[in-house]
Amino acid sequence: MNKTLIWRAVVIAVVVLLAIYGIVGLPKSWQQLQSNMRENIRLGLDLRGGSHLILQVQVQDAVKVEADQVMDRLREALRKAGIDWTAMERNDPSTIEEADNIQIQVRGIAEARTADFRRIVAENFPQWVLTPVGAADYRLTMRPSELMALKRDTVERSIRTIEQRINGLGLTEPVIQQHGRAEAEYEILVQLPGVDDPARVKNIMQTAAMLEICEVLGGPYASQEQALAQHGGVLPPNSRLVRMAPGRGEDNAFYLLSRSPVITGRDVRNARPGRDEFQRWETDFTLTQDGAARFRRFTGANIGNRLAVVLDNQIRSVATIQSEISESGRITGQASQQEASDLALVLRAGSLPAGIVYLEERSIGPSLGADSIRQGFIAGLVGLAAVVAFMLVYYRLSGVNATLALILNAVLLLAALSYFNATLTLPGIAGIILTIGMAVDSNVLIFERIREELRAGKSIPASIDTGFKKAFLTIIDTHVTTIVSCAFLFMFGTGPVKGFAVTLVIGLIANLFTAVFVSRTIFDWGLYRQPQMVRLSI
């Protein structure tokens, strides 16, 4: 056997072994082989079953938070400049549409300080437009471009946060992306294959997990009215009333807290479940270097005072500072290990920049997925059998060559999906079946070219060589145009369309190897065995 055939055979053998290893690994039993195949060939939502959710990000929440932060900074800037005002407030948009009309009203600016006020706003808040509405009153509105950028950033941050939380659960191949409808809808598509507890996942996604540790200024109070009565009907500046979370031993109790937290969830470096000295579940957290330094300074200067741990605007616990605290803390009172673990997960992932609501929820049972797999498998087998029968009848022994190439093509396609950690979906199965047709088309082109050369009176070796050379450019042309089409499907399509495009591209690349390289090697091997071949079965 010549060296060319040897190295070709080695290449084919290595590729086949790597493909089989990618699909089944190194199983020691039939059960392990089945398990390896299930793990290596990942099934999508439509085949495996799971949950399909469409969420809408309440971007008006982020707009209101931005306005509140601007108001806090503006108050501080006016205080430093010695400019008095009588009132500063914003409107309260309750829908996404109303968020476009976010406004901050500033009243009672002295006429003599108008120029200074305008200068402060222009220098510190260029994203806002200042409009006079009277001799001493002004209105700030956010510029449309800045408003749109804030909404877009809110959706992107929500996607990243939800992705981190879901990945922390160890789910296989979740799909988290902006929904394919109009961008103004601010929707997120979440697909969770194989989820057996969608309620828990929904709860983790929707939890804002806004952690704040605040100084306690007063309380507990039995009601808001009692708190206001003890302060002359008006809360002290830079303070707020926050209720104790249900089930924390002081139901409906209110505490007066500082509006400016000592640390927030942004200062959390890590969080994990743990147990206290009574073996009750809690969530322990560790602060960043900057957060730990601020926490240390505050607790060292306020020994004997109280701190409140606030999560999602509800007090989880209130404790007295016994000594200086550095970089760690804990949230007590978790009902179970799962609750402690889930809280640690959302703290690590960070807080959502805005609330979310569920617009659509669909559950796909595994039985439907199994039926799709069965029907797709039957369709593939029927199509493959019909193609094989045609090739064997029409091209006789050369049809065996094409059949081997088809089988190897399917093996390489499944192996590539395994190595790339791609997900096989129902459109992906359609891509596999279409790949069978493309593979047969390539073999037909090659065989017909060989037939033409044989009719022209050329020898069998020359006919095979010329047939492959002439068909190669045509095969490349058809495959490249199809791959370009798949590239556009992948760039602009949604998840299932992308799955179809990826599967088809992988199949086309595998087809170039099987239809050209492997098929030519089989022909050359036949010529090597019969150097004086006078008739080619084609």
Side-chain angles (χ1 to χ4, degrees), residues 387-440:
V387 168
V388 169
F390 170 80
M391 298 297 287
L392 292 177
V393 170
Y394 193 72
Y395 292 110
R396 291 170 289 183
L397 193 59
S398 294
V400 177
N401 187 332
T403 301
L404 293 175
L406 281 177
I407 295 174
L408 182 56
N409 193 359
V411 172
L412 293 180
L413 175 55
L414 293 178
L417 292 176
S418 174
Y419 279 117
F420 294 151
N421 291 326
T423 301
L424 182 62
T425 61
L426 197 56
I429 293 179
I432 293 175
I433 295 174
L434 181 57
T435 300
I436 294 175
M438 296 288 290
V440 170

Side-chain angles (χ1 to χ4, degrees), residues 479-493:
H479 281 50
V480 168
T481 54
T482 306
I483 289 174
V484 170
S485 301
C486 290
F488 282 100
L489 289 176
F490 185 84
M491 287 189 293
F492 300 108

Side-chain angles (χ1 to χ4, degrees), residues 157-174:
R157 288 168 55 201
S158 297
I159 291 175
R160 289 196 299 269
T161 301
I162 291 173
E163 187 174 19
Q164 289 175 345
R165 293 181 180 183
I166 291 179
N167 289 340
L169 291 172
L171 300 182
T172 302
E173 296 299 322

Side-chain angles (χ1 to χ4, degrees), residues 461-475:
S463 298
I464 292 174
D465 184 63
T466 306
F468 271 94
K469 287 180 179 179
K470 287 185 176 181
F472 181 73
L473 291 179
T474 305
I475 293 172

Side-chain angles (χ1 to χ4, degrees), residues 166 169 171 192 195 197-205 358:
I166 291 179
L169 291 172
L171 300 182
L192 308 172
V195 171
D197 190 2
R200 179 191 174 200
V201 177
K202 285 175 59 178
N203 182 62
I204 289 175
M205 283 193 297
Y358 291 92

Side-chain angles (χ1 to χ4, degrees), residues 210-212 240-245 257 310-316:
M210 177 58 74
L211 173 68
E212 299 172 301
R240 56 175 174 155
L241 277 176
V242 182
R243 175 178 287 181
M244 179 68 71
L257 306 182
V310 182
L311 188 68
D312 294 340
N313 207 33
Q314 289 187 326
I315 298 176
R316 289 300 188 101

